[in-house]
Amino acid sequence: MSRPANKRNLITHTNPRSPISEAYRSLRTNVDFSSVDQKMQVIMVTSAGPGEGKSTTIGNLAVTYAQSERKVLLIDADMRKPTEHHTFEVSNRRGLSSILSQQCTLDEAIQPTKIPGLSVITSGPIPPNPAEMVASQRMSNLIDELRGRFDVILIDSPPTLAVTDAQLLSRRCDGVILVLDQGKVKREIALKAKEGLVKVGAKLLGVVLNNVKRKKSEGYYYYYYGNTNP
């Protein structure tokens, strides 16, 4: 099965019995069991570069968590090229940038989605200083408050090699998933992305490889590796 034409398609919602949906559920299970000493509550998803499928991955992962009857929040922290308001068909008039700049309250920014149990905080209006915003004490306080409200918090960050936002955010998360497009990213670029996260102390849970070519009859597939050696 090839990747859907709509790269932000929530296949776990529209076709929950498909092989790709099952792969996302396997990813959820791997994340849940990735640490015996620490609860994986705040998880960031990033990529090496743009267009590797990180926003598709985190959107579908969020749906699978909600389908397991957990209270889930997805935060679009890519305040440079946000997409999650399109994915979930909600307003982006207020969001993360609005909260951090004190233009709205947290409760005003949290929006329900069509998926039961899943809420989102969109990016909000694009600010002039996104890196400074995610590195602020206000961002840290926000995550701490949300830990008390939601079972799982997923954070969509910009690509790690493009800007510093992902590295700054990773230190506030319990774990990080790196998304790579096998047919697009070069090995040295993947290793550079990994090393950049590890250097700042991020807990790298594993790598999601998109567009992995399996048997001819199976076409393309999404596959999760439980190690950090791309």
Side-chain angles (χ1 to χ4, degrees):
M1 181 178 293
S2 61
R3 182 190 294 182
N6 177 3
K7 295 181 180 181
R8 292 184 293 271
N9 181 37
L10 294 175
I11 193 169
T12 46
H13 175 64
T14 59
N15 190 3
R17 295 189 178 184
S18 71
I20 294 177
S21 295
E22 182 58 37
Y24 281 120
R25 286 191 289 272
S26 295
L27 171 58
R28 180 194 67 200
T29 301
N30 276 291
V31 171
D32 283 343
F33 287 93
S34 60
S35 176
V36 294
D37 297 320
Q38 181 182 11
K39 180 182 178 182
M40 288 295 114
Q41 184 180 10
V42 181
I43 303 158
M44 187 186 85
V45 177
T46 188
S47 58
E52 296 195 66
K54 69 174 177 65
S55 294
T56 298
T57 297
I58 196 171
N60 282 284
L61 182 59
V63 172
T64 66
Y65 270 113
Q67 289 170 340
S68 67
E69 299 185 349
R70 278 175 268 193
K71 190 176 181 183
V72 183
L73 177 69
L74 193 160
I75 302 174
D76 192 346
D78 190 343
M79 291 184 283
R80 300 170 190 269
K81 292 185 178 180
T83 62
E84 298 299 348
H85 58 292
H86 295 304
T87 302
F88 291 96
E89 300 177 335
V90 295
S91 170
N92 194 33
R93 187 167 63 89
R94 292 182 295 200
L96 181 60
S97 64
S98 310
I99 301 170
L100 298 177
S101 61
Q102 298 182 293
Q103 300 299 308
C104 77
T105 66
L106 175 57
D107 288 327
E108 289 172 333
I110 297 175
Q111 301 184 69
T113 71
K114 60 188 176 184
I115 313 297
L118 174 58
S119 300
V120 297
I121 294 178
T122 64
S123 69
I126 296 175
N129 57 339
E132 289 78 3
M133 280 190 159
V134 299
S136 67
Q137 184 60 42
R138 194 167 289 150
M139 182 69 184
S140 182
N141 294 342
L142 174 64
I143 292 175
D144 288 342
E145 181 175 352
L146 290 169
R147 283 180 183 272
R149 295 198 188 191
F150 293 90
D151 300 319
V152 179
I153 301 161
L154 297 169
I155 301 178
D156 185 354
S157 83
T160 187
L161 295 182
V163 289
T164 61
D165 304 33
Q167 293 179 347
L168 295 168
L169 274 168
S170 67
R171 293 178 292 184
R172 307 183 190 278
C173 301
D174 301 325
V176 176
I177 297 170
L178 180 62
V179 177
L180 303 172
D181 188 319
Q182 188 192 45
K184 184 174 183 179
V185 69
K186 295 182 179 179
R187 179 179 174 84
E188 57 268 25
I189 298 298
L191 289 172
K192 186 177 179 181
K194 171 198 167 185
E195 290 164 3
L197 291 167
V198 172
K199 189 175 181 180
V200 297
K203 180 178 176 58
L204 192 55
L205 302 178
V207 175
V208 170
L209 285 182
N210 280 336
N211 283 343
V212 175
K213 190 68 176 295
R214 304 188 77 190
K215 294 179 181 179
K216 187 174 181 181
S217 61
E218 295 176 311
Y220 287 99
Y221 206 71
Y222 294 81
Y223 197 80
Y224 176 78
Y225 286 87
N227 60 64
T228 55
N229 295 302

mmCIF file of all heavy atoms in Angstrom, residues 132-166:
data_model
loop_
_atom_site.group_PDB
_atom_site.id
_atom_site.type_symbol
_atom_site.label_atom_id
_atom_site.label_comp_id
_atom_site.label_asym_id
_atom_site.label_seq_id
_atom_site.Cartn_x
_atom_site.Cartn_y
_atom_site.Cartn_z
ATOM 1 N N GLU A 132 12.978 31.097 20.835
ATOM 2 C CA GLU A 132 12.966 31.693 22.166
ATOM 3 C C GLU A 132 11.706 31.293 22.929
ATOM 4 O O GLU A 132 11.744 31.090 24.149
ATOM 5 C CB GLU A 132 13.050 33.216 22.069
ATOM 6 C CG GLU A 132 14.401 33.756 21.632
ATOM 7 C CD GLU A 132 14.644 33.651 20.131
ATOM 8 O OE1 GLU A 132 13.714 33.207 19.421
ATOM 9 O OE2 GLU A 132 15.747 33.998 19.681
ATOM 10 N N MET A 133 10.602 31.154 22.215
ATOM 11 C CA MET A 133 9.346 30.773 22.869
ATOM 12 C C MET A 133 9.418 29.358 23.438
ATOM 13 O O MET A 133 9.037 29.123 24.585
ATOM 14 C CB MET A 133 8.187 30.882 21.887
ATOM 15 C CG MET A 133 7.673 32.297 21.705
ATOM 16 S SD MET A 133 6.121 32.323 20.765
ATOM 17 C CE MET A 133 5.470 33.933 21.254
ATOM 18 N N VAL A 134 9.900 28.390 22.653
ATOM 19 C CA VAL A 134 9.933 27.006 23.137
ATOM 20 C C VAL A 134 10.996 26.807 24.207
ATOM 21 O O VAL A 134 10.932 25.855 24.991
ATOM 22 C CB VAL A 134 10.133 25.998 21.981
ATOM 23 C CG1 VAL A 134 8.994 26.081 20.991
ATOM 24 C CG2 VAL A 134 11.474 26.200 21.294
ATOM 25 N N ALA A 135 11.985 27.712 24.252
ATOM 26 C CA ALA A 135 13.040 27.613 25.262
ATOM 27 C C ALA A 135 12.684 28.342 26.549
ATOM 28 O O ALA A 135 13.427 28.284 27.528
ATOM 29 C CB ALA A 135 14.350 28.177 24.709
ATOM 30 N N SER A 136 11.537 29.004 26.581
ATOM 31 C CA SER A 136 11.170 29.855 27.710
ATOM 32 C C SER A 136 10.708 29.049 28.919
ATOM 33 O O SER A 136 10.284 27.897 28.805
ATOM 34 C CB SER A 136 10.059 30.828 27.294
ATOM 35 O OG SER A 136 8.862 30.123 27.026
ATOM 36 N N GLN A 137 10.778 29.685 30.074
ATOM 37 C CA GLN A 137 10.268 29.075 31.294
ATOM 38 C C GLN A 137 8.764 28.884 31.207
ATOM 39 O O GLN A 137 8.207 27.939 31.768
ATOM 40 C CB GLN A 137 10.616 29.949 32.497
ATOM 41 C CG GLN A 137 10.220 29.345 33.840
ATOM 42 C CD GLN A 137 10.895 28.016 34.104
ATOM 43 O OE1 GLN A 137 12.084 27.847 33.840
ATOM 44 N NE2 GLN A 137 10.144 27.029 34.616
ATOM 45 N N ARG A 138 8.104 29.762 30.477
ATOM 46 C CA ARG A 138 6.660 29.653 30.304
ATOM 47 C C ARG A 138 6.301 28.345 29.586
ATOM 48 O O ARG A 138 5.284 27.709 29.909
ATOM 49 C CB ARG A 138 6.144 30.861 29.533
ATOM 50 C CG ARG A 138 4.642 31.036 29.570
ATOM 51 C CD ARG A 138 4.240 32.410 29.048
ATOM 52 N NE ARG A 138 4.619 33.445 29.999
ATOM 53 C CZ ARG A 138 4.948 34.682 29.666
ATOM 54 N NH1 ARG A 138 4.943 35.053 28.403
ATOM 55 N NH2 ARG A 138 5.267 35.556 30.592
ATOM 56 N N MET A 139 7.116 27.943 28.608
ATOM 57 C CA MET A 139 6.883 26.679 27.913
ATOM 58 C C MET A 139 7.053 25.502 28.870
ATOM 59 O O MET A 139 6.255 24.559 28.863
ATOM 60 C CB MET A 139 7.847 26.537 26.732
ATOM 61 C CG MET A 139 7.651 25.268 25.908
ATOM 62 S SD MET A 139 6.086 25.292 24.977
ATOM 63 C CE MET A 139 6.089 23.661 24.250
ATOM 64 N N SER A 140 8.074 25.579 29.697
ATOM 65 C CA SER A 140 8.305 24.523 30.678
ATOM 66 C C SER A 140 7.139 24.423 31.658
ATOM 67 O O SER A 140 6.664 23.319 31.973
ATOM 68 C CB SER A 140 9.611 24.802 31.434
ATOM 69 O OG SER A 140 9.883 23.772 32.363
ATOM 70 N N ASN A 141 6.670 25.565 32.123
ATOM 71 C CA ASN A 141 5.535 25.584 33.050
ATOM 72 C C ASN A 141 4.271 25.037 32.394
ATOM 73 O O ASN A 141 3.460 24.355 33.037
ATOM 74 C CB ASN A 141 5.282 27.002 33.547
ATOM 75 C CG ASN A 141 6.425 27.539 34.394
ATOM 76 O OD1 ASN A 141 7.254 26.783 34.901
ATOM 77 N ND2 ASN A 141 6.485 28.854 34.541
ATOM 78 N N LEU A 142 4.101 25.338 31.103
ATOM 79 C CA LEU A 142 2.939 24.854 30.356
ATOM 80 C C LEU A 142 2.931 23.330 30.301
ATOM 81 O O LEU A 142 1.906 22.688 30.562
ATOM 82 C CB LEU A 142 2.950 25.441 28.947
ATOM 83 C CG LEU A 142 1.882 24.915 27.974
ATOM 84 C CD1 LEU A 142 0.487 25.277 28.458
ATOM 85 C CD2 LEU A 142 2.123 25.462 26.569
ATOM 86 N N ILE A 143 4.057 22.741 29.963
ATOM 87 C CA ILE A 143 4.140 21.282 29.884
ATOM 88 C C ILE A 143 3.871 20.656 31.245
ATOM 89 O O ILE A 143 3.167 19.644 31.358
ATOM 90 C CB ILE A 143 5.508 20.843 29.325
ATOM 91 C CG1 ILE A 143 5.632 21.259 27.855
ATOM 92 C CG2 ILE A 143 5.691 19.329 29.453
ATOM 93 C CD1 ILE A 143 6.979 20.981 27.234
ATOM 94 N N ASP A 144 4.418 21.262 32.293
ATOM 95 C CA ASP A 144 4.185 20.739 33.643
ATOM 96 C C ASP A 144 2.693 20.759 33.985
ATOM 97 O O ASP A 144 2.174 19.809 34.582
ATOM 98 C CB ASP A 144 4.965 21.564 34.669
ATOM 99 C CG ASP A 144 6.463 21.304 34.615
ATOM 100 O OD1 ASP A 144 6.859 20.271 34.043
ATOM 101 O OD2 ASP A 144 7.229 22.131 35.140
ATOM 102 N N GLU A 145 2.014 21.823 33.612
ATOM 103 C CA GLU A 145 0.576 21.906 33.894
ATOM 104 C C GLU A 145 -0.202 20.864 33.095
ATOM 105 O O GLU A 145 -1.133 20.223 33.614
ATOM 106 C CB GLU A 145 0.045 23.301 33.582
ATOM 107 C CG GLU A 145 -1.443 23.453 33.882
ATOM 108 C CD GLU A 145 -1.974 24.863 33.707
ATOM 109 O OE1 GLU A 145 -1.172 25.792 33.501
ATOM 110 O OE2 GLU A 145 -3.211 25.039 33.763
ATOM 111 N N LEU A 146 0.186 20.678 31.841
ATOM 112 C CA LEU A 146 -0.525 19.727 30.987
ATOM 113 C C LEU A 146 -0.326 18.286 31.450
ATOM 114 O O LEU A 146 -1.203 17.437 31.228
ATOM 115 C CB LEU A 146 -0.066 19.894 29.537
ATOM 116 C CG LEU A 146 -0.515 21.195 28.864
ATOM 117 C CD1 LEU A 146 0.207 21.385 27.531
ATOM 118 C CD2 LEU A 146 -2.028 21.216 28.665
ATOM 119 N N ARG A 147 0.783 17.997 32.082
ATOM 120 C CA ARG A 147 1.015 16.647 32.613
ATOM 121 C C ARG A 147 -0.083 16.244 33.591
ATOM 122 O O ARG A 147 -0.435 15.066 33.704
ATOM 123 C CB ARG A 147 2.374 16.577 33.309
ATOM 124 C CG ARG A 147 3.581 16.498 32.380
ATOM 125 C CD ARG A 147 4.868 16.425 33.184
ATOM 126 N NE ARG A 147 6.057 16.429 32.352
ATOM 127 C CZ ARG A 147 6.625 15.333 31.834
ATOM 128 N NH1 ARG A 147 6.081 14.150 32.083
ATOM 129 N NH2 ARG A 147 7.715 15.417 31.097
ATOM 130 N N GLY A 148 -0.622 17.217 34.292
ATOM 131 C CA GLY A 148 -1.676 16.921 35.238
ATOM 132 C C GLY A 148 -3.056 16.807 34.621
ATOM 133 O O GLY A 148 -4.006 16.379 35.291
ATOM 134 N N ARG A 149 -3.166 17.160 33.334
ATOM 135 C CA ARG A 149 -4.472 17.154 32.672
ATOM 136 C C ARG A 149 -4.648 16.007 31.681
ATOM 137 O O ARG A 149 -5.777 15.612 31.392
ATOM 138 C CB ARG A 149 -4.676 18.462 31.916
ATOM 139 C CG ARG A 149 -4.762 19.701 32.778
ATOM 140 C CD ARG A 149 -5.404 20.791 31.944
ATOM 141 N NE ARG A 149 -5.409 22.097 32.557
ATOM 142 C CZ ARG A 149 -6.102 23.122 32.095
ATOM 143 N NH1 ARG A 149 -6.845 22.983 31.002
ATOM 144 N NH2 ARG A 149 -6.053 24.284 32.697
ATOM 145 N N PHE A 150 -3.545 15.522 31.107
ATOM 146 C CA PHE A 150 -3.637 14.531 30.036
ATOM 147 C C PHE A 150 -2.778 13.309 30.340
ATOM 148 O O PHE A 150 -1.748 13.405 31.007
ATOM 149 C CB PHE A 150 -3.192 15.146 28.700
ATOM 150 C CG PHE A 150 -4.125 16.212 28.198
ATOM 151 C CD1 PHE A 150 -3.937 17.549 28.553
ATOM 152 C CD2 PHE A 150 -5.206 15.895 27.393
ATOM 153 C CE1 PHE A 150 -4.791 18.545 28.113
ATOM 154 C CE2 PHE A 150 -6.079 16.881 26.943
ATOM 155 C CZ PHE A 150 -5.867 18.209 27.309
ATOM 156 N N ASP A 151 -3.217 12.164 29.810
ATOM 157 C CA ASP A 151 -2.449 10.927 29.969
ATOM 158 C C ASP A 151 -1.230 10.908 29.055
ATOM 159 O O ASP A 151 -0.161 10.422 29.438
ATOM 160 C CB ASP A 151 -3.331 9.711 29.652
ATOM 161 C CG ASP A 151 -4.542 9.621 30.560
ATOM 162 O OD1 ASP A 151 -4.394 9.888 31.772
ATOM 163 O OD2 ASP A 151 -5.645 9.308 30.055
ATOM 164 N N VAL A 152 -1.413 11.407 27.843
ATOM 165 C CA VAL A 152 -0.341 11.412 26.843
ATOM 166 C C VAL A 152 -0.307 12.775 26.164
ATOM 167 O O VAL A 152 -1.350 13.304 25.767
ATOM 168 C CB VAL A 152 -0.559 10.317 25.771
ATOM 169 C CG1 VAL A 152 0.561 10.356 24.730
ATOM 170 C CG2 VAL A 152 -0.625 8.943 26.417
ATOM 171 N N ILE A 153 0.894 13.336 26.044
ATOM 172 C CA ILE A 153 1.087 14.617 25.363
ATOM 173 C C ILE A 153 2.101 14.406 24.241
ATOM 174 O O ILE A 153 3.241 14.004 24.494
ATOM 175 C CB ILE A 153 1.600 15.695 26.337
ATOM 176 C CG1 ILE A 153 0.609 15.883 27.494
ATOM 177 C CG2 ILE A 153 1.839 17.014 25.606
ATOM 178 C CD1 ILE A 153 1.204 16.563 28.703
ATOM 179 N N LEU A 154 1.681 14.648 23.019
ATOM 180 C CA LEU A 154 2.546 14.470 21.850
ATOM 181 C C LEU A 154 2.871 15.840 21.271
ATOM 182 O O LEU A 154 1.971 16.667 21.079
ATOM 183 C CB LEU A 154 1.855 13.603 20.800
ATOM 184 C CG LEU A 154 1.536 12.173 21.251
ATOM 185 C CD1 LEU A 154 0.620 11.491 20.247
ATOM 186 C CD2 LEU A 154 2.811 11.366 21.429
ATOM 187 N N ILE A 155 4.157 16.079 20.997
ATOM 188 C CA ILE A 155 4.599 17.393 20.526
ATOM 189 C C ILE A 155 5.210 17.258 19.139
ATOM 190 O O ILE A 155 6.200 16.545 18.940
ATOM 191 C CB ILE A 155 5.620 18.015 21.495
ATOM 192 C CG1 ILE A 155 5.001 18.165 22.895
ATOM 193 C CG2 ILE A 155 6.093 19.360 20.971
ATOM 194 C CD1 ILE A 155 5.954 18.733 23.937
ATOM 195 N N ASP A 156 4.615 17.953 18.180
ATOM 196 C CA ASP A 156 5.115 18.000 16.803
ATOM 197 C C ASP A 156 6.110 19.159 16.712
ATOM 198 O O ASP A 156 5.737 20.321 16.865
ATOM 199 C CB ASP A 156 3.942 18.216 15.842
ATOM 200 C CG ASP A 156 4.348 18.159 14.373
ATOM 201 O OD1 ASP A 156 5.563 18.058 14.090
ATOM 202 O OD2 ASP A 156 3.457 18.237 13.516
ATOM 203 N N SER A 157 7.373 18.840 16.478
ATOM 204 C CA SER A 157 8.405 19.880 16.436
ATOM 205 C C SER A 157 8.933 20.061 15.022
ATOM 206 O O SER A 157 8.756 19.188 14.164
ATOM 207 C CB SER A 157 9.561 19.514 17.374
ATOM 208 O OG SER A 157 10.463 18.629 16.720
ATOM 209 N N PRO A 158 9.614 21.172 14.753
ATOM 210 C CA PRO A 158 10.240 21.344 13.436
ATOM 211 C C PRO A 158 11.353 20.320 13.215
ATOM 212 O O PRO A 158 11.837 19.702 14.178
ATOM 213 C CB PRO A 158 10.824 22.765 13.507
ATOM 214 C CG PRO A 158 10.094 23.438 14.608
ATOM 215 C CD PRO A 158 9.771 22.357 15.601
ATOM 216 N N PRO A 159 11.779 20.115 11.979
ATOM 217 C CA PRO A 159 12.910 19.220 11.713
ATOM 218 C C PRO A 159 14.148 19.637 12.511
ATOM 219 O O PRO A 159 14.432 20.819 12.662
ATOM 220 C CB PRO A 159 13.147 19.381 10.203
ATOM 221 C CG PRO A 159 11.820 19.814 9.673
ATOM 222 C CD PRO A 159 11.221 20.674 10.736
ATOM 223 N N THR A 160 14.860 18.663 13.024
ATOM 224 C CA THR A 160 15.947 18.943 13.954
ATOM 225 C C THR A 160 17.166 19.592 13.313
ATOM 226 O O THR A 160 17.908 20.328 13.970
ATOM 227 C CB THR A 160 16.366 17.658 14.694
ATOM 228 O OG1 THR A 160 17.312 17.987 15.718
ATOM 229 C CG2 THR A 160 16.961 16.645 13.727
ATOM 230 N N LEU A 161 17.391 19.351 12.006
ATOM 231 C CA LEU A 161 18.568 19.934 11.362
ATOM 232 C C LEU A 161 18.292 21.311 10.772
ATOM 233 O O LEU A 161 19.218 22.025 10.416
ATOM 234 C CB LEU A 161 19.089 19.002 10.267
ATOM 235 C CG LEU A 161 19.637 17.654 10.743
ATOM 236 C CD1 LEU A 161 20.169 16.845 9.557
ATOM 237 C CD2 LEU A 161 20.736 17.840 11.785
ATOM 238 N N ALA A 162 17.038 21.683 10.698
ATOM 239 C CA ALA A 162 16.688 22.965 10.090
ATOM 240 C C ALA A 162 16.840 24.123 11.065
ATOM 241 O O ALA A 162 17.351 25.190 10.717
ATOM 242 C CB ALA A 162 15.255 22.913 9.551
ATOM 243 N N VAL A 163 16.378 23.911 12.304
ATOM 244 C CA VAL A 163 16.395 24.961 13.328
ATOM 245 C C VAL A 163 16.682 24.310 14.675
ATOM 246 O O VAL A 163 16.711 23.084 14.800
ATOM 247 C CB VAL A 163 15.047 25.722 13.384
ATOM 248 C CG1 VAL A 163 14.866 26.598 12.157
ATOM 249 C CG2 VAL A 163 13.880 24.761 13.514
ATOM 250 N N THR A 164 16.867 25.126 15.705
ATOM 251 C CA THR A 164 17.219 24.600 17.022
ATOM 252 C C THR A 164 16.005 24.213 17.867
ATOM 253 O O THR A 164 16.167 23.643 18.949
ATOM 254 C CB THR A 164 18.028 25.644 17.816
ATOM 255 O OG1 THR A 164 17.228 26.827 17.996
ATOM 256 C CG2 THR A 164 19.307 26.000 17.075
ATOM 257 N N ASP A 165 14.800 24.495 17.400
ATOM 258 C CA ASP A 165 13.596 24.295 18.199
ATOM 259 C C ASP A 165 13.487 22.868 18.749
ATOM 260 O O ASP A 165 13.153 22.663 19.919
ATOM 261 C CB ASP A 165 12.339 24.594 17.372
ATOM 262 C CG ASP A 165 12.347 25.992 16.774
ATOM 263 O OD1 ASP A 165 13.429 26.489 16.435
ATOM 264 O OD2 ASP A 165 11.261 26.590 16.626
ATOM 265 N N ALA A 166 13.741 21.871 17.908
ATOM 266 C CA ALA A 166 13.579 20.475 18.322
ATOM 267 C C ALA A 166 14.538 20.117 19.449
ATOM 268 O O ALA A 166 14.158 19.437 20.407
ATOM 269 C CB ALA A 166 13.797 19.547 17.123
#
